[in-house]
Amino acid sequence: MSRIGRKPIEIPAKVKASVSGRTVTIEGPKGTLKMEHRPEVSVSIDDSTKTINVSVDQAKAAEDRSIRAYWGTTRSLINNMIIGVTQGYEKKLEIVGVGWTGTVSGNNLSLKIGYANRIDVPIPPGLTVTADKQLLTITGADKQAVGHFAASVRAKRKPEPYNGKGIKYADEVIQRKQGKAFGK
């Protein structure tokens, strides 16, 4: 049995949850998120205890291990949706380099990161990006969207190990290399 999938998910007071067929909808102060779960998994809402229960057919789960994985994954995704609409998610990126900056103009993030031209990255709907010269903050209710956008911005200029220049996560530690030694 899935130890994660068995746990019920608490619904906070400010959150509304509904299940329609295979679509789970979570509404909260930070927005509305929808997810369509796998057909092997069933999701139900218990209004008396204010919880969401995720379950699978035990006979099928005993013979196929992937069904148990879908069980725990579905429960975690729904829990992440509830955290997203109540607290939100945030990723911080640092731009390391002399004269390298990021600015937000309209729905685009403009990056000046050592190339001849600025790089414009469109900001997806539902995300908020703030740029303070060399510090980018990406916030939103959808954990996957926040992480994906942060990774795509970082991929524009990954940090290099010799000088440490590039776009890195704020809590990321870059392993530095020594480089060549001259004058021996």
Side-chain angles (χ1 to χ4, degrees):
M1 283 183 60
S2 172
R3 283 176 263 167
I4 294 173
R6 253 186 294 165
K7 295 180 186 176
I9 304 166
E10 298 283 328
I11 301 173
K14 300 176 185 175
V15 176
K16 294 178 187 174
S18 64
V19 176
S20 169
R22 285 182 34 206
T23 304
V24 179
T25 306
I26 308 288
E27 294 179 42
K30 300 254 182 191
T32 301
L33 296 175
K34 291 184 180 186
M35 181 193 81
E36 189 169 325
H37 61 82
R38 300 272 311 190
E40 297 92 348
V41 180
S42 63
V43 178
S44 62
I45 297 176
D46 187 6
D47 290 327
S48 62
T49 59
K50 290 284 203 179
T51 58
I52 299 174
N53 297 312
V54 181
S55 60
V56 295
D57 183 15
Q58 294 298 327
K60 289 182 182 178
E63 66 184 50
D64 189 6
R65 292 180 57 94
S66 64
I67 292 176
R68 288 187 297 188
Y70 298 142
W71 186 13
T73 301
T74 303
R75 191 247 181 229
S76 293
L77 290 173
I78 294 170
N79 191 41
N80 288 343
M81 289 168 58
I82 289 177
I83 293 171
V85 298
T86 54
Q87 301 168 6
Y89 288 100
E90 177 180 86
K91 290 274 187 182
K92 291 187 181 226
L93 297 170
E94 291 178 3
I95 302 173
V96 180
V98 176
W100 293 13
T101 61
T103 57
V104 177
S105 56
N107 278 347
N108 286 330
L109 172 65
S110 296
L111 298 171
K112 186 177 176 186
I113 48 177
Y115 297 122
N117 299 326
R118 286 185 167 271
I119 297 175
D120 289 334
V121 183
I123 299 171
L127 296 184
T128 305
V129 179
T130 58
D132 182 30
K133 296 202 179 198
Q134 294 187 325
L135 183 68
L136 302 174
T137 305
I138 303 163
T139 57
D142 189 1
K143 184 177 185 177
Q144 188 270 336
V146 170
H148 181 72
F149 184 69
S152 67
V153 169
R154 182 183 181 273
K156 299 299 178 193
R157 190 81 180 224
K158 290 184 182 175
E160 53 96 11
Y162 295 102
N163 296 325
K165 290 177 159 183
I167 301 173
K168 68 180 192 82
Y169 295 109
D171 57 350
E172 183 179 11
V173 177
I174 305 300
Q175 293 292 328
R176 302 291 292 269
K177 292 184 179 178
Q178 184 175 356
K180 293 183 178 180
F182 292 102
K184 284 193 172 184

